[in-house]
Amino acid sequence: MNPVLHKIVETKHEEILQAKGRSLPARKVPIRPWESNLKTSSISVIAECKKGSPSSGVLRPNYDPVEIASIYESSGAGAISVLTDSKYFFGSLTDLASVAESVSIPVIRKDFIIDPLQIEEAYSYGASAILLIVRILTPKELSSLHSFAKNLGLAVLVETHNKEEVKIALGSGATTIGINTRDLDTFQIHKNLIEEIAQELDDSIIRVAESGISSFNDWQKYKGIVDSMLVGTYFMKSKDIAKDFRSLLSGI
């Protein structure tokens, strides 16, 4: 495991120990439909609220997740991803709750989830879905966490980075599979990975392209191959999110 990723996971273990025994708030919003919002006649967009990252630092100094989420929803996003990691991505569970309570489309908690407590938090703070990353879990852990989330009524996006991880994801019961072109060990982008993997997945699977998406050319390249694109950095660096959202889908 990459040293940065290893450090993040170690931090998660520490955070989970500190959070044990804390009471969680009552959920305030219904669980929003996931599949129908992502699997449409075109490529849907999972638009991300992300203040920064370990590799880029702060991406958006004037970060207002509720304002950003409102623009995403009005622009036609199928779902919204909210980074909740505080130490490395400058997010929070408060961000998650604020966004979930301000929009009517599903919101996914994006974090490094390794424990059922984090899934309970996601549910309590209004998420309709969670992210599970194959790279940081054993197959047994992945299956257990996937089942735990589904039993709470949450959808699960299982993130993969190669064909072997896709097999593990499918073995866990995953029905939404993310193909991340950014290798978590090297942080390099493998541009053809999505074409190589997505076309081998059954149409019953919701296929999500992740990382490195920044132009209408990407949308054209993935049309007919994936069901959805998760887009974060492109929007976070934008001076006019609504305009660049339209440009991503139309080239105008």
Side-chain angles (χ1 to χ4, degrees):
M1 191 184 296
N2 176 281
V4 175
L5 184 59
H6 179 75
K7 189 175 181 181
I8 291 173
V9 173
E10 285 295 302
T11 299
K12 291 298 139 184
H13 283 290
E14 295 169 5
E15 290 175 353
I16 290 161
L17 284 175
Q18 294 170 3
K20 296 286 186 182
R22 291 179 188 167
S23 59
L24 292 172
R27 186 183 177 96
K28 295 182 180 179
V29 297
I31 293 176
R32 313 290 186 187
W34 176 257
E35 182 171 343
S36 60
N37 272 47
L38 296 194
K39 208 169 181 67
T40 64
S41 58
S42 185
I43 301 178
S44 62
V45 175
I46 303 173
E48 192 155 85
C49 295
K50 175 174 68 174
K51 184 175 182 178
S53 72
S55 59
S56 302
V58 174
L59 291 165
R60 199 171 187 86
N62 299 320
Y63 178 72
D64 184 337
V66 171
E67 179 184 17
I68 293 166
S70 176
I71 295 171
Y72 285 157
E73 183 173 31
S74 63
S75 296
I80 296 172
S81 168
V82 178
L83 259 295
T84 58
D85 173 80
S86 59
K87 186 171 183 179
Y88 302 96
F89 290 85
F90 318 105
S92 69
L93 285 167
T94 301
D95 290 346
L96 175 66
S98 297
V99 170
E101 292 166 23
S102 68
V103 299
S104 59
I105 56 177
V107 176
I108 179 170
R109 179 187 187 183
K110 192 175 182 187
D111 209 316
F112 299 83
I113 293 177
I114 57 174
D115 190 276
L117 175 59
Q118 294 166 289
I119 301 175
E120 291 176 342
E121 290 174 340
Y123 178 86
S124 293
Y125 283 84
S128 293
I130 62 160
L131 175 76
L132 293 177
I133 304 171
V134 175
R135 185 66 57 88
I136 65 174
L137 300 166
T138 66
K140 184 177 180 181
E141 288 169 339
L142 177 65
S143 293
S144 177
L145 292 172
H146 190 279
S147 295
F148 189 87
K150 297 296 283 186
N151 286 338
L152 286 177
L154 301 178
V156 182
L157 168 59
V158 180
E159 181 174 295
T160 65
H161 301 83
N162 54 50
K163 291 183 179 181
E164 184 58 36
E165 289 184 0
V166 170
K167 290 179 183 178
I168 294 171
L170 291 170
S172 75
T175 54
T176 304
I177 292 181
I179 304 162
N180 194 334
T181 59
R182 188 182 301 281
D183 190 289
L184 287 181
D185 287 330
T186 64
F187 295 113
Q188 292 181 327
I189 295 287
H190 298 288
K191 291 189 175 181
N192 298 322
L193 187 67
I194 290 168
E195 294 94 319
E196 292 172 7
I197 293 177
Q199 297 181 83
E200 296 184 8
L201 293 173
D202 188 275
D203 283 344
S204 64
I205 302 295
I206 299 174
R207 298 155 293 183
V208 182
E210 299 182 48
S211 292
I213 298 165
S214 60
S215 71
F216 177 62
N217 289 338
D218 294 321
W219 187 90
Q220 287 183 309
K221 180 171 66 174
Y222 296 144
K223 192 174 183 181
I225 299 176
V226 301
D227 302 293
S228 187
M229 302 188 303
L230 194 154
V231 186
T233 301
Y234 168 76
F235 290 139
M236 291 299 91
K237 289 183 174 181
S238 170
K239 293 181 179 180
D240 186 335
I241 293 175
K243 178 181 177 181
D244 286 337
F245 197 110
R246 291 192 299 272
S247 178
L248 182 69
L249 303 185
S250 67
I252 301 173

